[in-house]
Amino acid sequence: MAVLPIRIMGDPVLHAPAARVDEITDEVRTLVADMFETMDAAPGVGLAAPQVGVGLRIYTYSYQDDDGEPWRGVLINPDLWMRPLEPGAPDPDEESEGCLSFPGERFPLRRSEEVLVTGTDLDGQPVRIQVAGWRARIMQHEFDHLDGILYLDRLDDADWKTTQKIARKRGWGRPGSAWTPGIDDLDA
């Protein structure tokens, strides 16, 4: 297993829809193991294959349920259903999120409160996850990556402009920008 470089906003693989996984091969299994190691090293609660430069519809996740039990897994070729968004502006204290592909920053974003995600695991077995709250946010965020959407793309105009200023200041927003957890110091 290896910690992989995480692509930063502007890299083309982050802004294009990912391809379906046709077959679960040893290469896919190795990629998923590396994604878990990278997600843990970052640290993060989710990581999509495009974030490590691979344009496939795969994401890993790790969170605790309401009883404090850990849930950790992978979704391959997921489908996502969600409840309609509640109207109104997001609460910056309760509805902010960050992204390993725009490290060190958080912005408020309204997400659906409940989702259902289906897909398969590494053994090709069906997976069905119905979650709410923070866990639903994770699923939506990672699913967006598979469609070439960063959470930054969903921000209001003022926050989006702020992200563009940050990206320019840090030299991001261009192909090839990446960081490697445990190696690169991204303190801004």
Side-chain angles (χ1 to χ4, degrees), residues 7-12 14-15 167-178:
R7 305 298 173 96
I8 293 175
M9 153 275 197
D11 194 285
L14 293 173
H15 304 283
R168 277 193 304 277
K169 178 180 175 187
R170 295 183 183 165
W172 299 346
R174 64 186 193 292
S177 294

Side-chain angles (χ1 to χ4, degrees), residues 2-181:
V3 173
L4 304 172
I6 298 174
R7 305 298 173 96
I8 293 175
M9 153 275 197
D11 194 285
V13 72
L14 293 173
H15 304 283
R20 290 186 59 79
V21 175
D22 293 326
E23 181 181 0
I24 300 171
T25 63
D26 286 343
E27 290 174 340
V28 169
R29 286 183 181 85
T30 298
L31 170 64
V32 169
D34 291 346
M35 288 172 62
F36 275 117
E37 189 164 333
T38 303
M39 179 180 68
D40 292 343
V45 294
L47 186 68
Q51 291 182 274
V52 294
V54 179
L56 291 175
R57 297 188 74 78
I58 302 171
Y59 70 79
T60 57
Y61 60 89
S62 180
Y63 60 80
Q64 290 186 348
D65 68 15
D66 292 336
D67 297 324
E69 292 296 315
W71 284 81
R72 188 172 171 84
V74 60
L75 280 160
I76 299 172
N77 298 328
D79 289 309
L80 174 80
W81 292 269
M82 60 186 157
R83 286 194 175 174
L85 293 177
E86 294 291 327
D91 179 333
D93 295 325
E94 298 292 324
E95 297 179 284
S96 287
E97 64 188 72
C99 181
L100 296 175
S101 291
F102 198 81
E105 302 296 331
R106 295 182 67 77
F107 290 92
L109 178 64
R110 175 71 37 105
R111 293 274 193 185
S112 179
E113 187 58 31
E114 186 177 354
V115 300
L116 169 65
V117 186
T118 61
T120 60
D121 64 15
L122 273 179
D123 296 320
Q125 296 301 307
V127 175
R128 183 184 198 288
I129 300 170
Q130 188 165 3
V131 289
W134 174 245
R135 295 173 300 277
R137 180 176 295 277
I138 294 167
M139 296 297 161
Q140 292 168 83
H141 181 106
E142 299 310 325
F143 187 86
D144 271 354
H145 278 299
L146 305 182
D147 287 338
I149 299 168
L150 296 180
Y151 91 107
L152 310 173
D153 300 326
R154 296 189 181 280
L155 298 176
D156 68 27
D157 287 342
D159 286 337
W160 185 86
K161 288 177 185 174
T162 301
T163 67
Q164 300 311 298
K165 289 176 187 175
I166 292 167
R168 277 193 304 277
K169 178 180 175 187
R170 295 183 183 165
W172 299 346
R174 64 186 193 292
S177 294
W179 69 285
T180 304

